[in-house]
Amino acid sequence: MENVHGTTVAAAHGDEHSFDVKLIWKTFRILLYITVFELILAIGYYKFEHSFSNQLLVKHLLNGVFIILTLAKAFFIVAEFMHLRHEIKNLIMTIAVPALLFLWFIGAFLWDGSSYKNLRNRYDRNHVEQSHQKVEKKEPGHEAEKPGTVE
Amino acid sequence: MAQAVQANKKWWSGGHSPFNVEYGKLMMWYFLMSDAFTFGAFLISYGTIRFSSNGWPDPNEVFRTFPGVQGEMPIPLAFVSLMTFILIMSSVTMVLAVGAGHAHNKKKVMLYMFFTILGGLAFLSCQAWEWTHLHGEGAWWGRNPFMNADGSQSSTNFTNFFFTITGFHGFHVFSGVVINIIMLIKTWRGDFERRGHYLMIEKAGLYWHFVDLVWVFVFTCFYLF
């Protein structure tokens, strides 16, 4: 209101009354539930991965769920903990619009990665053989730092 | 912000600060945005390499130990869940410190800042334990004792990215703890009380929440995928 001069003071006192402790704990509970849910999915997949007929499809679906839940968590942290949802729209836009670059960033680079893999698998038979060669299972925890050392 | 809700207010017609926040807070937001792109570049390069590899270690196999528990935990990822919980919890105490700052309650600000610092130190301790443990298993930059999920030989990409990115995040947590300690001392000396506002707590808080935010993505990329 009277923040024509001295935004500092106005910003410091402006949202004094809108600070809601209940909302903070609610946000905390949401974040906690989402994380627990993610863990249940991850552990559930780990326990039952061999009983799925199409393992790869299930894993991809699960990863999609993880992405959505992660973005949900990010939204709650930025919006409530960092209070961005309660700032004015101009400010929100200067933060949110550049973040959209991530869509291109992630899409382009993951596409590039998988394209590299496919091309290499097609033209480099040696690489394919090498990367599918099974190695003997080592017991982690007894792994010595130098390769070849057996405990 | 009660005055910000007026939808018809002409923020750009002069006489107002168009973003309605203090300069330092705005710049903190823009710094965090650039930092987000740094972390984004790290995580996306990790993703690119992972997408270009035929095999990758299974995180459920790699991260399944817990301090004080002999051998393997019956459920994987237990320790990292604890770390996540600690960091989210310290984020909550940070918001409560900001809230106490709004109410000009110096004692409460100090109390909540203390808990936030404690949470940060607990997280760093957990990370130190995890790194020490993985190092003991033979994992380090340039060394990867783990196999791919399909039983083939794994490259060192997994450990290189893991230690670089969690290390970079851990360094952020460390600097966040240092900033929070400075804020606690300044609160204790009454600097903010004299200044008439606790905006510095808010700026430190923004940084601290950002560290939490990054962890959410690191957690998903390394432990869940």
Side-chain angles (χ1 to χ4, degrees), chain B residues 60-83:
Chain B
N60 290 306
E61 294 286 347
V62 177
F63 308 108
R64 53 180 306 130
T65 43
F66 202 86
V69 176
Q70 281 297 314
E72 292 176 341
M73 283 286 281
I75 52 164
L77 302 175
F79 189 54
V80 74
S81 321
L82 177 72
M83 289 167 73

Side-chain angles (χ1 to χ4, degrees), chain B residues 20-175:
Chain B
N20 199 32
V21 288
E22 182 246 357
Y23 173 79
K25 205 170 150 186
L26 185 66
M27 291 303 124
M28 180 53 98
W29 267 110
Y30 291 150
F31 162 69
L32 293 181
M33 209 167 64
S34 71
D35 217 16
F37 277 99
T38 310
F39 269 110
F42 270 137
L43 285 172
I44 290 164
S45 60
Y46 159 80
T48 309
I49 294 299
R50 191 163 169 178
F51 266 60
S52 71
S53 307
N54 279 328
W56 202 261
D58 183 356
N60 290 306
E61 294 286 347
V62 177
F63 308 108
R64 53 180 306 130
T65 43
F66 202 86
V69 176
Q70 281 297 314
E72 292 176 341
M73 283 286 281
I75 52 164
L77 302 175
F79 189 54
V80 74
S81 321
L82 177 72
M83 289 167 73
T84 308
F85 176 76
I86 289 171
L87 208 55
I88 293 179
M89 203 57 221
S90 79
S91 229
V92 172
T93 54
M94 186 79 230
V95 196
L96 293 175
V98 173
H102 280 295
H104 292 265
N105 189 336
K106 180 179 159 183
K107 268 204 180 129
K108 269 198 163 170
V109 172
M110 284 177 66
L111 181 73
Y112 287 131
M113 286 307 283
F114 176 73
F115 282 131
T116 309
I117 292 163
L118 220 57
L121 290 176
F123 181 85
L124 284 174
S125 315
C126 289
Q127 200 170 33
W129 184 86
E130 194 186 32
W131 274 43
T132 312
H133 177 77
L134 287 171
H135 184 259
E137 287 188 323
W140 202 239
W141 276 279
R143 284 207 302 269
N144 185 1
F146 306 110
M147 292 185 310
N148 286 334
D150 63 357
S152 57
Q153 181 65 50
S154 186
S155 72
T156 56
N157 285 334
F158 171 71
T159 40
N160 289 346
F161 274 112
F162 176 79
F163 286 113
T164 303
I165 294 176
T166 58
F168 196 60
H169 175 263
F171 181 67
H172 273 73
V173 177
F174 172 74
S175 38

